[in-house]
């Protein structure tokens, strides 16, 4: 029966102010270790709903939206329902071929040691990783954006 349930939970830092909404298929919330490693040892995880596993995407999105409506600033990177992505062998092969083509065409030849400047926001980043995280974009998208000199400049 437990495998048919999904647990929607929130995280707070011991102050009862939620900052993250997530889901787990395990009632023992084994993810708390990962969250404490990411957000700090004081992080507390609490179940807020138990739903049918077929409906978890809706309910996770619902609770994220609900807490935002209540005025809480959540650190979720999306509006819920993302979950783990499993690609088929065909999809993996298409992505692999696409990445090989970019490498072959020299699309990844960048000066990785230099800082970059994001023109639209006026922010400077000492590393590409910090730019990626601050702008909440994927590596492939960042690589494509680096090709556009109107968006990024090396400094």
């Amino acid at each position: 029966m437990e495998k048919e349930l999904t647990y929607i939970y929130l995280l707070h830092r011991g102050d009862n102010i939620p900052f993250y909404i997530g889901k787990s298929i395990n009632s023992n919330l084994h993810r708390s270790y990962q969250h404490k490693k990411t957000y700090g040892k004081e992080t507390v995880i609490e179940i807020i709903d138990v739903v049918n596993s077929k409906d978890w995407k809706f309910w996770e999105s619902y609770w994220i939206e609900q807490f935002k409506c209540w005025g809480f600033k959540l650190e979720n990177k999306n509006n819920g329902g993302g979950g783990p992505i499993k690609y088929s062998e065909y999809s993996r092969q298409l992505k692999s071929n696409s990445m090989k083509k970019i490498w072959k065409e020299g699309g990844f030849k960048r000066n990785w040691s230099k800082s970059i400047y994001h023109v639209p926001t006026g922010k400077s980043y000492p590393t590409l990783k910090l730019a990626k995280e601050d702008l909440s974009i994927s590596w492939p998208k960042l690589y494509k954006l680096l090709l556009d000199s109107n968006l990024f400049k090396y400094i």
Side-chain angles (χ1 to χ4, degrees), residues 128-146:
L128 291 176
K129 182 178 180 187
L130 291 174
K132 174 195 160 307
E133 291 169 356
D134 186 56
L135 299 170
S136 298
I137 56 178
S138 65
W139 282 113
K141 184 166 183 164
L142 179 61
Y143 294 138
K144 287 179 184 176
L145 292 174
L146 285 168

Side-chain angles (χ1 to χ4, degrees), residues 75 103 141:
E75 296 181 19
W103 274 101
K141 184 166 183 164

Side-chain angles (χ1 to χ4, degrees), residues 112-130:
W112 301 108
S113 63
K114 286 191 175 182
S115 300
I116 61 168
Y117 174 76
H118 186 236
V119 175
T121 62
K123 288 186 175 181
S124 296
Y125 301 98
T127 66
L128 291 176
K129 182 178 180 187
L130 291 174

Side-chain angles (χ1 to χ4, degrees), residues 50-97:
V50 180
V51 300
N52 185 306
S53 290
K54 294 177 185 172
D55 302 326
W56 73 266
K57 289 181 182 186
F58 169 82
W59 288 109
E60 183 185 31
S61 297
Y62 167 83
W63 283 112
I64 289 172
E65 183 62 31
Q66 188 64 56
F67 276 89
K68 285 180 178 179
C69 286
W70 288 336
F72 293 103
K73 184 172 176 3
L74 300 179
E75 296 181 19
N76 292 70
K77 292 188 177 166
N78 60 43
N79 291 324
I85 299 171
K86 296 181 181 177
Y87 295 102
S88 68
E89 182 58 37
Y90 177 74
S91 294
R92 282 194 296 268
Q93 192 60 47
L94 283 176
K95 184 165 181 83
S96 174
N97 291 341

Side-chain angles (χ1 to χ4, degrees), residues 21 27 46 49 51 58 100 110 128 132 151:
I21 305 293
S27 61
E46 294 183 21
D49 204 353
V51 300
F58 169 82
K100 286 175 186 174
R110 302 282 167 260
L128 291 176
K132 174 195 160 307
L151 292 176

